[in-house]
Amino acid sequence: MAGGHYIFSIYKTSGSLPQYFILRTVLPVYRNWSQTEEEKSRKAESVERLRFLEFVKKQTGTNELVIVGEFHGFPDGEVFYQDHGHPEIPVYYMQTDFGKPWIIFGTAGSEEEFLEAIANDEDLQILNPVGTPVRVEAWFLTTNELNFN
C-alpha cells in the first residue's frame, strides 16, 4: 500500500507584505500496483488542496497565491498533527537540493534550534536541505477549518 500520509504545502499571498498559509492535505491510501487507484488518490488530494486555496483566497481577498514549497514528511512541531489549525505559527523552512517545490519546515524558537532539529533527524538529512532557513509567521489550516465555512 502507498499513500495514506499528510502533504504539507506552504503558500503565500503576493505583494510586499505576504501572508503565509500551511495547508495540510491527505494523500489517500492506494494499492501500489494500481495506476488507476494512484491517479484517484492524487486527484482527491488535488481537489482537497483546491478547496483550501479557494478558502484562503476568499478569506484574504486575494486572487493570487504562490506556492513556497511542499513537504511529504513529518515537520517538527506538535501543532501540525492536531485536529484544528492555528494562526500565526512561527515557521522556519529551507529548500532542498531536489529543487522546487520541495522544502523542509518546522517550528522552532530560533534558527539555531531549527538547524539543530534538522541535524538530529536522519530523514530530514536525506532530503539535503540547502540555503539559509527562512522564518515566517503562517496560518496552519486543516480540513476541519474548511468544514465550518
Side-chain angles (χ1 to χ4, degrees):
M1 300 300 271
H5 64 271
Y6 291 134
I7 296 175
F8 295 90
S9 305
I10 301 179
Y11 284 84
K12 68 178 181 176
T13 58
S14 58
S16 59
L17 295 172
Q19 292 176 280
Y20 290 83
F21 300 87
I22 300 171
L23 314 179
R24 185 182 74 193
T25 56
V26 175
L27 182 66
V29 173
Y30 60 90
R31 292 178 285 197
N32 300 35
W33 53 265
S34 175
Q35 185 67 36
T36 302
E37 286 184 19
E38 180 179 358
E39 288 171 8
K40 285 182 182 178
S41 178
R42 294 196 185 282
K43 173 117 172 127
E45 189 276 332
S46 179
V47 166
E48 184 177 15
R49 187 183 304 219
L50 288 173
R51 284 183 61 213
F52 269 124
L53 294 174
E54 290 305 315
F55 173 79
V56 170
K57 286 178 183 178
K58 182 178 175 185
Q59 294 297 313
T60 60
T62 188
N63 289 324
E64 183 180 358
L65 293 169
V66 178
I67 188 162
V68 172
E70 188 172 304
F71 183 50
H72 294 231
F74 300 96
D76 191 34
E78 291 181 23
V79 67
F80 300 118
Y81 307 99
Q82 296 178 0
D83 290 337
H84 294 279
H86 296 276
E88 298 183 19
I89 297 171
V91 173
Y92 287 89
Y93 71 87
M94 288 180 75
Q95 302 298 320
T96 71
D97 70 0
F98 291 99
K100 197 164 186 173
W102 309 115
I103 61 170
I104 59 172
F105 77 95
T107 60
S110 68
E111 182 177 318
E112 292 77 24
E113 284 181 26
F114 178 66
L115 291 171
E116 184 177 327
I118 293 170
N120 294 325
D121 188 320
E122 289 179 22
D123 292 332
L124 295 179
Q125 284 296 311
I126 291 170
L127 298 174
N128 298 321
V130 295
T132 304
V134 177
R135 185 186 185 282
V136 299
E137 295 283 327
W139 183 12
F140 171 56
L141 297 167
T142 72
T143 55
N144 289 320
E145 280 69 53
L146 293 178
N147 294 333
F148 292 108
N149 293 292

